Amino acid sequence: MVGQRPPATYKLTILTLCGKELCMESNWAAEHLQVIRTLMERSAVYRRALAPVMIYNGSVGTAAAVLGRTLKIDFPRNFILYWAAVGLLAMAGSFLLVRRQALKDAEPFWSPPTRRVTQAMLPPLVAGMIISVVVLAHAESASVKLGSVFVMHWLPLTWVVLYGCAFHAAGFSMPRGMRLFGWGFIIGGCALFAVGIPDWATPIDSAHGIMGLFFGALHLAYGVYLYFTEPRRNET
């Protein structure tokens, strides 16, 4: 009848439909916000394939350690210059591998994630370079025993710890495993700092052994791990 109020059940149905519609719109907005947040996180994370870089650096580090021990590079100055050249070779190869990936994917090499990773790694690496230059300048003026112990044991461990700090800092813009990789260098280097040089190890064995273990074997092991896990991560 005209002018008659709608029944209470009709009002309840209208309110229920409005509530469901508002709930659906709220869920839709939340889902879209989650998609946008995921896309932003992915754009902020360094997503280049790291397995080739790790395997390359591990191969270079292992070969350099074996070659340095075979050639008996045990003089402090020669040791620093030798491993500085190895480091430059590793950096150049890593640059070419990453650049090839960028060209293959038709993406800019100097992307925002690449800049963030570089900026995070730079302070510890620059600190290591400055320490090396200072030690190189004073290596010949120190006593033979002191210079040999410091350069052939303490300096490689300093490189290891600072290298781990660099990777841990960069890990906040990279997959989580990279921070754990950095922690491995930091903890391992500090542990060897505490243990010192074993009585049975000569300075040359200690120096090239440390470099081969951390910059060779650990890189190879992590590179192999990434080789089998990165494709599955990319598929998801």
Side-chain angles (χ1 to χ4, degrees), residues 79 124-125 128 132 153-168 181-193 206-216 218-219:
F79 177 82
L125 296 181
S132 302
H153 185 74
W154 304 121
L155 184 60
L157 291 179
T158 302
W159 290 341
V160 168
V161 173
L162 290 175
Y163 188 80
C165 292
F167 265 95
H168 184 270
F181 182 69
W183 270 117
F185 275 74
I186 296 171
I187 296 174
C190 291
L192 291 181
F193 261 121
S206 173
H208 293 291
I210 290 171
M211 300 300 289
L213 172 63
F214 287 96
F215 296 100
L218 282 183
H219 279 80

Side-chain angles (χ1 to χ4, degrees), residues 18-87:
C18 291
K20 289 183 178 180
E21 183 176 357
L22 290 175
C23 183
M24 291 177 62
E25 291 180 355
S26 176
N27 293 336
W28 177 84
E31 291 176 358
H32 277 67
L33 286 175
Q34 182 62 36
V35 171
I36 294 173
R37 186 181 297 110
T38 302
L39 293 175
M40 292 180 65
E41 290 176 353
R42 288 183 176 180
S43 65
V45 174
Y46 186 82
R47 305 190 67 82
R48 299 275 180 234
L50 298 173
V53 177
M54 287 292 170
I55 292 176
Y56 167 77
N57 282 277
S59 302
V60 171
T62 303
V66 174
L67 183 62
R69 179 62 183 86
T70 303
L71 297 177
K72 297 182 179 179
I73 302 176
D74 56 353
F75 191 69
R77 180 181 181 86
N78 296 340
F79 177 82
I80 296 174
L81 294 176
Y82 173 75
W83 279 102
V86 173

Side-chain angles (χ1 to χ4, degrees), residues 115-168:
R115 287 198 298 270
R116 281 190 287 271
V117 169
T118 304
Q119 291 169 356
M121 296 185 72
L122 205 56
L125 296 181
V126 170
M129 182 186 67
I130 294 174
I131 293 173
S132 302
V133 171
V134 173
V135 173
L136 182 64
H138 295 84
E140 295 182 356
S141 61
S143 64
V144 176
K145 183 177 180 180
L146 178 61
S148 178
V149 171
F150 184 84
V151 175
M152 305 299 285
H153 185 74
W154 304 121
L155 184 60
L157 291 179
T158 302
W159 290 341
V160 168
V161 173
L162 290 175
Y163 188 80
C165 292
F167 265 95
H168 184 270

